[in-house]
Amino acid sequence: MSAVYINSASCISVQDTLKENFFQNLNPENSVQTLKAIDPNYKEFIPPAMIRRMSKTVKMSSVASHYALKEAGIEQPDAIIVGTGMGCSQDSEKFLKNVIDNHEEFLTPTFFIQSTHNTVAGQIALGLQCHAYNFTYVNTSSSLEFSFLDAKLQINDGEADNVLVGSTDEQTGRTMELYCLNNTIKKEEDLPADYLHSETNGVIWGEGAAFFVLGKNKTNNSYARLKNIQISSKVDLDETQDFIDGFLAQNNVKNEDIDAVILGFSGDAKSDLYYTKAAELFPASTLLYYKHLSGEFNTASGFSTFMACHILKDQQIPDVMMINDVKKGEVRNILLYNHLAGEDHSLVLLERA
């Protein structure tokens, strides 16, 4: 496959990642059950009449995609591909509440129409008047990686030159209540969370949207080269290292060639064992983690990809992300490893552009 470059990166998250100097102002949080994304001033980007009808994930995605396209200097992408785990869950909850409250009668279709997972990609296309390929992937924690894979194939097959790729997920009240009941979210007595050496199960839940423009040509703005992606729905704990070694061998990369590894430590004692196993393979690499900055959610890997892009471009690593003391003179190759509760494992290999 030919090279595919990440030519822009934009993110709305728990951190103030729309600001230029956000690297210097990263604030980890480990003492609350849920983390809310910092909202920009949506009125600067979306007409007030439309804002009222938009769920948070649509608003976040509209602004993040705007920044990504502007940075890449692209007015009309050749494709729009979005990955999401929960979609527009706010409107889904409204629709289901409407069904119950009205005894399944006299229902307006608005909430249902807006609750479908592909609403985000559709709204972005409507705003741009873009009639190109438009697709949404819903694959829990590997939704963004499937979107990247599709974009890479579109570019390699000559179907597109520039593709807008994004990931987005929002929090909703009832869903968070259910996550607390089934212990997906940490109990209050288990806080503050220890992300790297946790002895309790459950995570701190976050939200956010990250958008990227992938192109076949390298530009002055390019952050990274997207070398390869591997996805597996199931990986046994004792197969973790083979899973990673096989991926590196497939790309003719040795373990010592990986300058930095970004691992998705979430504070969930059971599933974090995968990351501990993975870390053992890279004694000479800089080991990083990020979910203490973003929270755990279905498309949290969007935040880690955004951070990896900035690390490669700026050649700076925030101290708050460091797990070990290894520092490289130059960061050329970054490996990202993520899963959600031990399922849907993904590996992404990025190279400095």
Side-chain angles (χ1 to χ4, degrees):
M1 281 190 175
S2 60
V4 171
Y5 294 94
I6 299 177
N7 292 331
S8 72
S10 174
C11 182
I12 292 175
S13 69
V14 172
Q15 307 297 323
D16 203 353
T17 36
L18 286 181
K19 282 191 174 178
E20 289 187 9
N21 62 343
F22 73 92
F23 252 38
Q24 284 74 48
N25 299 297
L26 294 170
N27 296 309
E29 179 57 75
N30 65 353
S31 58
V32 293
Q33 290 178 300
T34 59
L35 297 168
K36 293 282 188 183
I38 295 174
D39 290 320
N41 185 359
Y42 291 120
K43 291 178 182 176
E44 293 180 7
F45 306 93
I46 307 166
M50 292 180 67
I51 290 176
R52 291 197 304 272
R53 296 196 299 271
M54 285 183 171
S55 64
K56 186 170 184 177
T57 193
V58 174
K59 289 189 286 188
M60 289 191 299
S61 302
S62 297
V63 175
S65 61
H66 168 84
Y67 273 99
L69 290 168
K70 185 178 177 182
E71 185 182 13
I74 302 292
E75 289 186 8
Q76 285 284 342
D78 301 313
I80 297 171
I81 307 173
V82 175
T84 180
M86 299 292 287
C88 300
S89 49
Q90 197 177 87
D91 286 317
S92 298
E93 285 190 7
K94 286 178 183 176
F95 171 69
L96 291 171
K97 188 175 186 300
N98 216 1
V99 170
I100 295 166
D101 291 347
N102 291 283
H103 308 290
E104 302 181 27
E105 296 178 338
F106 314 116
L107 300 173
T108 58
T110 310
F111 290 137
F112 174 72
I113 293 166
Q114 292 174 343
S115 73
T116 57
H117 288 66
N118 60 356
T119 298
V120 176
Q123 287 283 0
I124 293 170
L126 279 170
L128 296 171
Q129 289 297 295
C130 176
H131 304 283
Y133 177 86
N134 191 291
F135 210 85
T136 300
Y137 284 90
V138 186
N139 298 81
T140 62
S141 64
S142 52
S143 300
L144 175 63
E145 288 76 9
F146 273 104
S147 302
F148 274 149
L149 200 56
D150 189 357
K152 200 172 186 333
L153 290 169
Q154 293 280 333
I155 292 169
N156 289 154
D157 291 345
E159 297 289 333
D161 290 341
N162 295 287
V163 181
L164 177 67
V165 181
S167 63
T168 183
D169 274 299
E170 67 185 1
Q171 284 178 14
T172 50
R174 182 58 181 155
T175 303
M176 294 304 102
E177 287 174 13
L178 294 172
Y179 279 2
C180 287
L181 286 171
N182 73 358
N183 297 324
T184 295
I185 291 176
K186 275 199 186 298
K187 297 175 182 176
E188 285 193 8
E189 57 264 32
D190 293 333
L191 297 173
D194 184 343
Y195 279 87
L196 296 178
H197 308 101
S198 179
E199 295 180 358
T200 60
N201 292 330
V203 301
I204 291 174
W205 204 259
E207 62 180 358
F211 275 76
F212 311 86
V213 171
L214 269 57
K216 73 172 186 178
N217 298 317
K218 181 181 174 182
T219 68
N220 294 331
N221 256 355
S222 294
Y223 284 84
R225 179 186 173 192
L226 179 60
K227 290 195 73 175
N228 210 348
I229 301 156
Q230 185 158 325
I231 302 160
S232 179
S233 60
K234 295 280 186 184
V235 176
D236 290 335
L237 185 59
D238 56 3
E239 295 173 344
T240 308
Q241 296 185 349
D242 291 338
F243 174 59
I244 295 170
D245 282 337
F247 176 68
L248 295 180
Q250 180 187 336
N251 291 284
N252 299 312
V253 176
K254 296 176 182 176
N255 294 43
E256 54 267 29
D257 296 331
I258 301 296
D259 300 303
V261 183
I262 302 183
L263 300 165
F265 280 102
S266 64
D268 179 59
K270 186 179 178 182
S271 62
D272 279 351
L273 293 173
Y274 284 96
Y275 299 123
T276 305
K277 285 272 187 187
E280 293 170 2
L281 292 173
F282 303 97
S285 303
T286 303
L287 300 178
L288 308 172
Y289 71 125
Y290 64 94
K291 286 177 182 171
H292 59 311
L293 301 172
S294 68
E296 173 70 288
F297 56 101
N298 285 274
T299 49
S301 59
F303 182 84
S304 68
T305 306
F306 174 76
M307 296 302 286
C309 286
H310 277 277
I311 289 169
L312 286 167
K313 189 172 185 177
D314 303 336
Q315 291 294 296
Q316 292 180 4
I317 297 176
D319 291 338
V320 72
M321 293 180 69
M322 300 278 290
I323 296 174
N324 60 1
D325 296 325
V326 177
K327 288 194 175 181
K328 297 293 186 88
E330 180 187 15
V331 181
R332 286 200 60 79
N333 293 299
I334 295 183
L335 178 69
L336 292 83
Y337 176 33
N338 186 56
H339 63 73
L340 181 63
E343 296 185 355
D344 296 299
H345 300 250
S346 64
L347 296 167
V348 178
L349 183 59
L350 299 178
E351 181 183 72
R352 189 180 183 187

